[in-house]
DNA sequence: CGATTAATTGCAATTGTGTTGCATTGCTTT
DNA sequence: AAAGCAATGCAACACAATTGCAATTAATCG
């Protein structure tokens, strides 16, 4: 088998994985969505709409906006309010239902402005006054990330 | 002493309290600032710039904006990122230096959109990966507040 | 297959919040 | 009173988020 073929097969396989991810969440796998999902999979930190806009300069931002909304609604990704003006998005873990027990802490670097999922750090249950009925919780640390430490 | 006079004295006394609050934080007590501070003191939940704008229709929003900035900088109030688009502000507790140990949890009601300071609920210290250097942390619950519970 | 319908994408425009620059006002100090 | 400085007002801008509708593409049906 030629090298080119091997690469093609591998690429096809990778694409199939992405397609599967979308199918599993009942999202029709259009080329646009595969493109965005690929970017999200490869990204090491959470991405904002404007970052996506810069990555795919030819694609309209509204399309990207709606793609993210669809992904979020179908629980493929979760949104992160890191205190910067722009909302960021990151892939959910396997079997995530975006319930409080699935949520984790995030870290926003004040230097590089990147936001990371601390997927291993769950959010501890807290005793808040019983008159408040909590449905979700957002916990974000700010400081200097591993890459920016001197 | 006439009733009117009594009221006047009480009002003057109240104003003096507000003035003192500003003086203590090294903020020159202009009439504008006294007005905004009064609103903040009387408010049971955190307020946004646009809410202030509606309360004081004659006042320019930039003035209110800068008033809030000054108050925040002088640690008279703290800002809250509750996940809604608009930043909210609330009075600091006595002797607050806005250090991590002074910070508390907030609650944002998804129904009435109001945001409350849970001043008695501190933010617990968490073990995050040591490569991240945290300087501050934000923790916001979302759900239904006491007033909106059926 | 072609025709019809539904879903997706693109383009233009608008909203809402936050922000800056500069002119004007008002207080303070000499 | 004049000068200097801080506070306020007005206009304009930056930018993320969002909506409406037209154009395109994909799915469905005869
Ligand atoms: Mn995350
Ligand atoms: Mn608070
Ligand atoms: Zn960093
Ligand atoms: Zn409420």
């Amino acid at each position: 088998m030629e090298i080119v073929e091997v690469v093609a097969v591998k690429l096809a396989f990778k694409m199939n994985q992405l397609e599967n991810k979308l199918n599993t969440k009942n999202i029709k796998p259009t080329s646009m969505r595969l493109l965005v999902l690929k970017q999200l999979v490869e990204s090491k930190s959470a991405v904002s709409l404007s970052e996506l806009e810069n990555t795919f300069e030819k694609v309209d931002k509204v399309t990207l906006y709606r793609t993210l909304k669809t992904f979020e609604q179908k629980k493929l990704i979760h949104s992160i309010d890191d205190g910067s003006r722009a909302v960021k998005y990151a892939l959910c873990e396997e079997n995530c239902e975006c319930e409080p027990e699935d949520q984790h802490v995030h870290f926003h670097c004040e230097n590089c402005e990147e936001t990371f999922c601390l997927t291993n750090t769950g959010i501890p249950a807290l005793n808040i006054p019983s008159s408040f009925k909590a449905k979700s919780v957002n916990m974000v640390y700010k400081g200097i990330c591993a890459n920016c430490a001197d």
Side-chain angles (χ1 to χ4, degrees), chain A:
Chain A
M1 191 152 62
E2 295 291 332
I3 300 228
V4 221
E5 290 176 42
V6 175
V7 171
V9 167
K10 279 192 179 171
L11 274 176
F13 177 68
K14 245 182 131 178
M15 268 306 153
N16 259 349
Q17 282 192 315
L18 295 177
E19 275 195 44
N20 284 342
K21 242 183 159 61
L22 291 179
N23 284 326
T24 306
K25 301 282 184 175
N26 291 313
I27 304 165
K28 208 181 295 176
T30 68
S31 59
M32 196 81 276
R33 287 167 179 172
L34 286 168
L35 213 63
V36 174
L37 176 57
K38 187 164 172 291
Q39 186 65 23
L40 285 164
V41 168
E42 288 172 356
S43 180
K44 288 195 174 74
S45 59
V47 298
S48 67
L49 175 57
S50 65
E51 284 174 292
L52 280 184
E53 238 179 298
N54 293 335
T55 309
F56 308 114
E57 293 198 358
K58 300 163 224 159
V59 183
D60 191 88
K61 74 170 171 180
V62 180
T63 303
L64 297 170
Y65 169 76
R66 290 197 263 237
T67 301
L68 289 173
K69 284 286 175 193
T70 303
F71 283 6
E72 186 183 17
Q73 201 188 338
K74 300 285 189 170
K75 293 172 181 169
L76 174 62
I77 64 178
H78 58 279
S79 65
I80 308 159
D81 264 308
D82 60 10
S84 72
R85 294 286 306 280
V87 176
K88 301 222 169 66
Y89 298 88
L91 277 183
C92 286
E93 299 290 290
E94 204 74 25
N95 299 114
C96 172
E97 287 299 323
C98 293
E99 297 293 321
E101 61 266 22
D102 295 320
Q103 295 188 267
H104 51 258
V105 171
H106 292 100
F107 188 98
H108 177 69
C109 178
E110 288 169 335
N111 184 247
C112 63
E113 309 251 86
E114 291 195 73
T115 296
F116 303 90
C117 292
L118 305 188
T119 46
N120 291 323
T121 311
I123 300 182
L126 242 57
N127 284 326
I128 62 173
S130 59
S131 50
F132 294 97
K133 304 300 173 203
K135 291 185 177 170
S136 68
V137 57
N138 182 38
M139 190 168 183
V140 179
Y141 281 93
K142 290 180 213 211
I144 302 297
C145 80
N147 305 328
C148 291
D150 52 17

